[in-house]
Amino acid sequence: MDFLFGGENRRNGGKIIYGSSGTDRRRRVSAAVCAKICGPSSGLYKMLLGGVDNFAGDFDLEKKIEIGMDGIERIGKSYLVCADIALKTAELILVSEKEDARLQSCYMAAFESDTNAVNYLRVFINSKDQESCKKLLEDAFQQYKGKDKDKDTSFYGSHASGYTGENRSELAINEPSKNMIYILRMLNGEFIDVLRKGVSAKAALGWTGTFMKDGIEFFLLYLFGGKSIPQGIARMIGMTKRAFGFTFEQYAKGQTLEHGGDDDLLFYDCFLRWKDTAVSDDSDKKKMLEKRVDGIMDANRRNYYGECAAFIAAVGEVKESYGKAGEKQRYMESYKNKYSKRSAFRAELEHYGWIRCR
């Protein structure tokens, strides 16, 4: 291995791997040799893939891809950082401009090692066989169901250390939060069970930090059948995007996408592409809507007036999208009358489209 780790570089902590043996010998490096050198070190794999100062500039593209695929296996999918290696490898596969089954394997490895909704969407949307893909995704996150009773229920859950992407520890373990598992289960079509367990009247009484808001946002966005985006649904898009942890930068990893300038619209496009495959007839949707949204004002404290008004507007907009003309105004008016003494709440209703009768 001296042709990689020259004596001078070894004394300097191995910051540069090439050593002093010359360019010709550098090019002899294979994925197998790199694996022996790197072991489970994601930092070295990242450098070999070209992530630091074009470290792998002398390697040919296919060799880099082989190194990345080897890194995925050696680092192990229980570590978050494995997702970084997988998505970097996917980018290299795309550079080759060849149809390559390893691309989807990289997307799946990213989800298995960093189990979240953004990685789910990337796998699912890019799949050519979405039914089979859905089953693979379900199998990947099923292991976390029932193991989250004592975990932080916030969005980031045990990922809350703040280390993401290039900055996160090599030892950070993939442990999705309870709320994230709920989101993944809804993406999997498990609406009734999630709504019963994660979006309950009891949860509404203290919904900050629970799945109450995230579940209702997701569900209303799923139920909405209109073409244009009214005020309440626009707020649901933004709130659901936040619950997913969706940004262009995160979703675009491992892909060749151009930023259109609006993360909300990109997220909603991805959401609709998923929704087109989620089968549920209208009667089921209406039953679920009536069963779960009537209690959203149970936690109607002053700090929540804006959110509550947005939910109420969105409920009306969902009903109108099923052909009930004027339902948004009627529904909002009923809440205005119920809480007639709360002027701040009425102002929030107006912000979301309630028209004051003169």
Side-chain angles (χ1 to χ4, degrees), residues 5-19:
F5 290 102
E8 181 65 26
N9 290 329
R10 190 191 306 276
R11 287 193 294 274
N12 290 331
K15 292 182 180 179
I16 303 297
I17 286 185
Y18 287 156

Side-chain angles (χ1 to χ4, degrees), residues 38-69:
C38 294
S41 172
S42 63
L44 286 173
Y45 272 107
K46 287 180 182 179
M47 288 190 290
L48 289 167
L49 292 175
V52 179
D53 296 329
N54 198 30
F55 180 86
D58 286 332
F59 291 1
D60 64 46
L61 184 59
E62 180 58 31
K63 195 157 289 183
K64 290 184 186 181
I65 295 170
E66 290 175 4
I67 290 168
M69 298 303 294

Side-chain angles (χ1 to χ4, degrees), residues 153-340:
T153 58
S154 65
F155 163 68
Y156 289 103
S158 57
H159 299 183
S161 62
Y163 295 107
T164 59
E166 297 296 322
N167 297 319
R168 60 184 168 202
S169 166
E170 292 187 8
L171 300 178
I173 300 296
N174 179 32
E175 293 182 305
S177 70
K178 180 185 294 186
N179 283 8
M180 182 53 69
I181 294 301
Y182 278 144
I183 288 174
L184 294 173
R185 292 182 64 193
M186 291 185 82
L187 286 170
N188 194 47
E190 300 175 43
F191 295 108
I192 298 297
D193 194 48
V194 171
L195 291 173
R196 185 177 69 250
K197 294 179 179 178
V199 185
S200 64
K202 181 179 179 181
L205 298 177
W207 62 4
T208 298
T210 72
F211 190 64
M212 186 68 183
K213 289 190 291 184
D214 293 347
I216 293 175
E217 296 154 12
F218 186 123
F219 193 50
L220 288 172
L221 198 57
Y222 167 72
L223 293 175
F224 180 68
K227 299 298 183 183
S228 60
I229 302 175
Q231 300 104 310
I233 293 300
R235 180 70 184 275
M236 296 303 106
I237 292 172
M239 294 167 76
T240 307
K241 181 195 73 174
R242 174 203 57 78
F244 274 52
F246 186 101
T247 65
F248 172 82
E249 289 75 17
Q250 289 299 316
Y251 180 68
K253 289 181 178 180
Q255 304 184 82
T256 52
L257 301 177
E258 293 185 6
H259 196 349
D262 191 326
D263 282 12
D264 282 11
L265 289 180
L266 174 62
F267 168 72
Y268 192 45
D269 177 67
C270 292
F271 188 90
L272 290 177
R273 291 170 72 180
W274 161 80
K275 179 181 170 182
D276 285 343
T277 69
V279 180
S280 177
D281 64 41
D282 287 353
S283 62
D284 286 343
K285 291 178 182 179
K286 291 174 184 177
K287 288 176 182 177
M288 287 188 283
L289 174 64
E290 292 169 359
K291 185 176 182 180
R292 288 299 176 190
V293 300
D294 288 342
I296 64 175
M297 283 294 288
D298 287 347
N300 184 17
R301 305 180 184 93
R302 189 178 186 88
N303 290 342
Y304 298 141
Y305 283 169
E307 291 178 346
C308 288
F311 285 131
I312 291 164
V315 171
E317 290 159 4
V318 167
K319 291 186 175 184
E320 285 191 347
S321 75
Y322 287 103
K324 294 185 177 181
E327 187 64 19
K328 178 180 177 179
Q329 289 301 317
R330 189 206 65 76
Y331 196 67
M332 296 182 84
E333 183 75 17
S334 69
Y335 274 98
K336 186 274 297 183
N337 293 335
K338 186 175 181 179
Y339 300 97
S340 59

